[in-house]
Amino acid sequence: MQFLKKWGWSLVLLAGIVPATIYFAFLYQPIPEEELVEVPVVEDTVQAYIPKKYYGIIVDSLLIEEGKIRRNQNLADILKPYNVPYEKIHKVARDSKKVFDVRKFVSGKPYSMLYKGDSLKEATHFIYRPNAIDYVVIDFQDSVKMYQASKKIELKENEMVGEINTSLYVDMLEAGGNADLVNKLVDVFAWQVDFFGIQKGDNYKLIYDEQYVDDELVGIGEIKAAYFEHIGESFYGFQFEQDSVGTDYFDQHGQSLRREFLKAPLSFTRISSRYTGRRYHPVQKRYKAHLGTDYAAPVGTPIRAVADGKIIAAKYHRFNGNFVKIQHNGNIATQYLHMSKIASGIKYGQKVKRGQTIGFVGSTGLASGPHLCYRFWKNGVQVDALKVDLPPSEPILPENMATFDSVRLVWQQRLDQMYLPAPVADSVVYASISR
């Protein structure tokens, strides 16, 4: 009894702990590896919301209709089915000149209407695309807003090699080029090569950039390096930028290929013929001196200023028709006759830049057909624009020569390693002779 009194509760606790220990030891014994089952862990994921955009505009809740400007169609005609209030249309017509004059829509150019609603359409945006790169947006939400923007242009380098068989223009187009590339090549060597005297067998090599938008070829970038062989004489041209002078083209010796003046006031591919000197006047029916250079070209062909200068005449004359005269560096002036119209903003006292459009080919005044009569004065005397001796632009500066030579060497090696396609040999048929 004395033993139970002293150790009784201890025995009771021990009797409970031992079975419990045995039970839990059995309960948590390891499970064989082959009986283990992997339970996939599911993690919470959040899908990022990416709004759908069209020309930079979120269009998740909008509908889109595309079309093309019809002949004589104006903005009001296009917007009428989309319930744009007249006040907003009037505001666009009144204020659009600051961004893009909507009265100058061109038939055939594409546009898009963004709108809400199905049965009752409510326009939110109008997008006009004058070319593959630029676009104009009119936002009708709240107060009317209008802005211009451009798609991102990607440049891709390309090469072209060719030989003249028919003409520079025809042969380059057959080789995969276009009119813009032809004009750019002519501008590089305008003062070195007479492109109206091209001979069969003359050849060219080009390294140039192509412009792409959304993987579509939309234009030609700059020519980086070029080679032209004319009647056995070789010419190189390399593009190089000098801080104080800007970008220009130079030969392998660092001399500029350009003059302060363009060789012609029209692009090469638009000129069908040219002639100078004494000629039979088709209107006055008599032979007379003609010191100007006539360029036959389609009506509306842009006419460009051949050099920087100041307008000293821009008006109509009964013989000259619509004409512009430009004073250049002190002793030189140029004149452009028989325009169909003078370009907007071209007026007396206005300064112009080389290559700027000053008017368009026509047949106003004493002219029998559409052409440009181009006249050139030096020291107050009219001279032949094609034979006048003009100083070249500034050559590579001494401090830039080392850099130019390193760049030039790379381009020249590439050009020299570009070979003309081998002529296709006449096929020869060999007949086997049985014995």
Side-chain angles (χ1 to χ4, degrees):
M1 288 296 294
Q2 193 69 25
F3 175 81
L4 290 175
K5 286 181 180 180
K6 184 175 180 179
W7 300 101
W9 288 108
S10 298
L11 291 173
V12 172
L13 291 172
L14 185 62
I17 290 172
V18 171
T21 302
I22 295 172
Y23 172 76
F24 283 110
F26 175 78
L27 183 65
Y28 289 104
Q29 64 180 326
I31 301 174
E33 187 173 342
E34 60 272 11
E35 296 182 15
L36 289 175
V37 178
E38 286 191 20
V39 179
V41 178
V42 180
E43 297 181 358
D44 292 335
T45 58
V46 178
Q47 182 66 42
Y49 167 66
I50 303 176
K52 181 180 178 182
K53 289 188 176 183
Y54 183 85
Y55 286 89
I57 301 166
I58 297 176
V59 293
D60 289 344
S61 59
L62 300 179
L63 298 172
I64 302 172
E65 288 185 3
E66 297 183 336
K68 291 185 177 180
I69 304 293
R70 299 195 305 270
R71 186 176 178 84
N72 298 323
Q73 187 179 35
N74 58 42
L75 185 61
D77 297 332
I78 299 172
L79 298 179
K80 186 176 180 181
Y82 299 91
N83 299 292
V84 178
Y86 174 76
E87 293 77 14
K88 289 188 175 182
I89 297 177
H90 177 70
K91 178 176 174 59
V92 171
R94 184 190 65 204
D95 300 340
S96 65
K97 290 182 180 180
K98 302 173 184 176
V99 180
F100 182 89
D101 192 344
V102 297
R103 293 173 298 180
K104 294 183 178 179
F105 284 156
V106 177
S107 60
K109 295 296 183 181
Y111 70 86
S112 300
M113 286 299 314
L114 280 56
Y115 63 95
K116 297 184 292 187
D118 292 322
S119 57
L120 185 63
K121 298 177 180 179
E122 181 184 347
T124 59
H125 301 82
F126 170 82
I127 303 171
Y128 173 67
R129 303 190 288 280
N131 55 59
I133 299 173
D134 306 310
Y135 59 94
V136 180
V137 178
I138 305 176
D139 185 346
F140 295 106
Q141 300 177 109
D142 301 324
S143 60
V144 179
K145 297 184 288 291
M146 186 175 182
Y147 58 90
Q148 285 196 70
S150 301
K151 288 187 173 182
K152 183 179 179 181
I153 299 174
E154 181 183 359
L155 297 179
K156 296 182 181 179
E157 190 178 279
N158 197 10
E159 298 178 353
M160 180 178 289
V161 180
E163 186 174 58
I164 307 302
N165 292 304
T166 306
S167 73
L168 178 66
Y169 181 73
V170 171
D171 292 328
M172 283 190 69
L173 262 60
E174 288 182 351
N178 60 27
D180 192 23
L181 184 59
V182 177
N183 283 322
K184 286 180 181 290
L185 173 60
V186 170
D187 281 345
V188 172
F189 296 115
W191 290 98
Q192 288 72 41
V193 177
D194 178 9
F195 285 97
F196 287 93
I198 292 297
Q199 303 292 312
K200 184 176 181 179
D202 289 354
N203 58 81
Y204 59 88
K205 304 175 186 180
L206 302 175
I207 302 173
Y208 64 99
D209 283 332
E210 293 179 327
Q211 298 174 333
Y212 284 83
V213 171
D214 299 331
D215 294 326
E216 177 186 354
L217 178 64
V218 298
I220 300 298
E222 296 296 325
I223 291 178
K224 297 177 177 179
Y227 168 88
F228 202 97
E229 183 180 318
H230 177 49
I231 318 179
E233 188 174 2
S234 299
F235 302 92
Y236 285 94
F238 307 100
Q239 188 186 61
F240 187 77
E241 182 178 1
Q242 301 189 98
D243 293 338
S244 60
V245 181
T247 302
D248 210 339
Y249 287 93
F250 304 87
D251 65 16
Q252 63 270 40
H253 308 297
Q255 297 299 312
S256 176
L257 297 180
R258 295 194 190 270
R259 302 294 187 269
E260 293 181 11
F261 289 72
L262 296 174
K263 189 67 176 283
L266 300 179
S267 65
F268 173 79
T269 58
R270 298 295 188 94
I271 302 171
S272 58
S273 65
R274 72 181 188 189
Y275 51 94
T276 59
R278 182 176 175 83
R279 66 179 174 88
Y280 182 78
H281 197 284
V283 176
Q284 296 179 317
K285 307 299 182 183
R286 63 188 176 90
Y287 285 95
K288 58 183 295 186
H290 184 261
L291 297 177
T293 303
D294 282 358
Y295 293 95
V299 172
T301 298
I303 300 169
R304 54 190 185 177
V306 295
D308 295 357
K310 183 178 180 180
I311 304 293
I312 57 175
K315 57 186 178 181
Y316 179 85
H317 184 275
R318 65 192 184 98
F319 293 149
N320 297 340
N322 293 317
F323 77 95
V324 171
K325 191 170 185 179
I326 304 174
Q327 184 68 48
H328 301 289
N329 54 358
N331 64 340
I332 293 178
T334 56
Q335 189 177 12
Y336 314 77
L337 280 59
H338 308 308
M339 296 178 173
S340 58
K341 64 177 181 178
I342 297 171
S344 176
I346 299 301
K347 56 187 179 180
Y348 178 82
Q350 185 76 29
K351 290 184 178 180
V352 292
K353 303 294 289 183
R354 183 175 75 168
Q356 181 178 341
T357 297
I358 57 174
F360 304 89
V361 169
S363 55
T364 57
L366 208 60
S368 60
H371 74 285
L372 168 68
C373 179
Y374 171 53
R375 296 180 178 177
F376 197 102
W377 277 268
K378 188 173 183 180
N379 296 320
V381 178
Q382 192 171 341
V383 297
D384 186 347
L386 301 177
K387 296 179 180 178
V388 63
D389 185 23
L390 295 170
S393 298
E394 193 166 9
I396 296 294
L397 302 176
E399 61 267 29
N400 294 329
M401 185 57 78
T403 304
F404 168 74
D405 274 337
S406 63
V407 173
R408 187 265 309 164
L409 184 61
V410 173
W411 291 125
Q412 189 167 344
Q413 287 177 342
R414 284 187 57 181
L415 288 171
D416 291 343
Q417 292 169 3
M418 294 163 58
Y419 297 102
L420 292 170
V424 179
D426 295 334
S427 59
V428 179
V429 178
Y430 295 91
S432 61
I433 302 176
S434 59
R435 294 185 178 181

